[in-house]
Amino acid sequence: MREEEEPSWFARWEEQLPSPDELMPLSQTLITPDLALAFDIPTTHQHPNPSPNPLPPVPHQSDFESPDLTGGGGGATANGGDEPARTLKRPRLVWTPQLHKRFVDAVAHLGIKNAVPKTIMQLMSVDGLTRENVASHLQKYRLYLKRMQGLSSSGGGPASGVSHSAEDQLFASAPVPHHFLTRGPATAADPFMSYAPAVAALQHHQMAAAAVAAHQHQYYHQQQQQQQQQRHLGHFGSPPANGFADHGFLTRAVGQPGLHRMVGPGGVGIVQPPAPAPAPPSTAGSYVEDLESGTGGGNRRVLTLFPTNED
DNA sequence: TTCGGAATAT
DNA sequence: CATATTCCGA
């Protein structure tokens, strides 16, 4: 027994791909504008060829706005050569259907009562997502639910004007758990996400999804306490100004059902999947990087992530 | 002090 | 209108 088909694995890569659904780790990589501008994140370069990709050393922040003076004097924080990147404005988060899906799923699993921003955020496991992001969205989502409730039995008089505008589209994308409307705990009835136990852990402490991901085993799971909000932004402005336009995308799905999330510790530690094997040919997962809608022509840096994929 | 939730701002 | 930010109560 030897020699199986080594070369084959590559060819069958796509076919062997597990359910994309499971592999959809929403790996939205959010990099702070500073970081992104300074240098691109060493995301897994899926270069078919063995090209050594020496990750660019720490960048020299391109000045731009001063890091603010959060306490300039004092002399505390004497970090030498560290990229604080704290106090930066991040671009508006765009809630894509996928992201929202994740959100709804999380809420569904948690149950209304436990569905609080922090918990949801943790369960979602989306890097870069902040509690406020979730809180804001949650607020809107609640309004949506409320409205739906009121509408539900009003004598079918949508005449009032049930405007089914495109806005609902986002919400329509995700199934609204019925118990939401009437109140009920989370019934483990979800198509995806099988980390129910994680929920319990969550409630207990902030293990967060990191543990969940790690649960999968394989590769390293760097457990990091994300007590504070981590910062990561998505790839966005990487204008090919000078240098290379480069990658700019993240590779999702790596062969094998393992969630890899890039967690950035307070500093800039992006963990790259060891990926002993080459990266996917990039045929399977696609992603769409929407950036900048610019409908009105402004300087709106909209950070959007996300893949194509449906549900 | 932190978190959640609504109000308010952009 | 969609998010972000702020304010306040627990």
Side-chain angles (χ1 to χ4, degrees):
Chain A
M1 319 191 196
R2 278 217 69 330
E3 237 120 317
E4 293 207 351
E5 289 166 291
E6 291 250 320
S8 276
W9 72 269
F10 200 104
R12 293 174 62 190
W13 171 287
E14 292 181 19
E15 298 186 351
Q16 294 228 43
L17 278 177
S19 308
D21 297 314
E22 283 286 61
L23 288 184
M24 255 217 166
L26 301 178
S27 290
Q28 108 182 56
T29 197
L30 301 180
I31 284 144
T32 76
D34 242 9
L35 285 172
L37 283 174
F39 69 114
D40 302 37
I41 292 298
T43 59
T44 328
H45 269 278
Q46 52 198 66
H47 269 259
N49 54 357
S51 216
N53 188 27
L55 122 43
V58 172
H60 313 341
Q61 56 183 106
S62 346
D63 67 304
F64 244 61
E65 283 209 64
S66 300
D68 236 40
L69 33 133
T70 45
T77 44
N79 43 8
D82 177 278
E83 263 172 70
R86 218 152 214 231
T87 37
L88 282 174
K89 287 183 302 199
R90 355 171 139 210
R92 280 166 69 113
L93 172 69
V94 176
W95 284 86
T96 61
Q98 277 76 20
L99 193 52
H100 177 66
K101 174 77 181 334
R102 191 117 179 147
F103 167 85
V104 174
D105 276 344
V107 175
H109 283 256
L110 290 166
I112 302 289
K113 56 180 201 199
N114 290 324
V116 290
K118 197 176 189 178
T119 316
I120 295 172
M121 177 190 73
Q122 292 178 156
L123 228 188
M124 283 179 73
S125 231
V126 173
D127 154 39
L129 240 194
T130 66
R131 187 174 63 89
E132 335 234 36
N133 282 138
V134 176
S136 189
H137 191 68
L138 180 61
Q139 187 176 32
K140 202 181 86 173
Y141 186 61
R142 279 173 175 158
L143 285 176
Y144 170 77
L145 292 179
K146 186 176 284 188
R147 181 190 221 167
M148 190 177 268
Q149 275 180 30
L151 241 66
S152 241
S153 51
S154 254
S160 298
V162 170
S163 4
H164 277 114
S165 271
E167 346 162 339
D168 296 344
Q169 230 178 343
L170 209 199
F171 288 153
S173 259
V176 176
H178 58 279
H179 26 276
F180 273 30
L181 302 177
T182 109
R183 194 240 122 130
T187 35
D190 260 74
F192 313 159
M193 292 192 163
S194 45
Y195 37 87
V199 176
L202 259 165
Q203 296 177 16
H204 194 248
H205 231 157
Q206 38 183 296
M207 267 172 91
V212 179
H215 198 227
Q216 293 283 354
H217 84 292
Q218 196 135 75
Y219 305 149
Y220 359 153
H221 51 3
Q222 81 166 120
Q223 195 161 2
Q224 211 239 236
Q225 281 215 342
Q226 38 177 292
Q227 206 153 355
Q228 296 202 347
Q229 45 182 356
Q230 43 194 9
R231 314 184 116 190
H232 258 141
L233 280 205
H235 209 326
F236 65 103
S238 251
N242 66 48
F244 289 44
D246 77 332
H247 45 279
F249 314 115
L250 1 152
T251 24
R252 66 188 4 188
V254 232
Q256 287 282 323
L259 295 175
H260 334 357
R261 357 186 357 255
M262 310 179 160
V263 189
V268 188
I270 310 261
V271 176
Q272 260 194 92
S282 85
T283 327
S286 7
Y287 19 67
V288 177
E289 191 189 295
D290 299 297
L291 103 59
E292 202 258 318
S293 306
T295 3
N299 236 5
R300 231 174 206 173
R301 273 182 198 156
V302 181
L303 206 194
T304 65
L305 28 144
F306 257 81
T308 88
N309 205 309
E310 34 37 45
D311 67 297

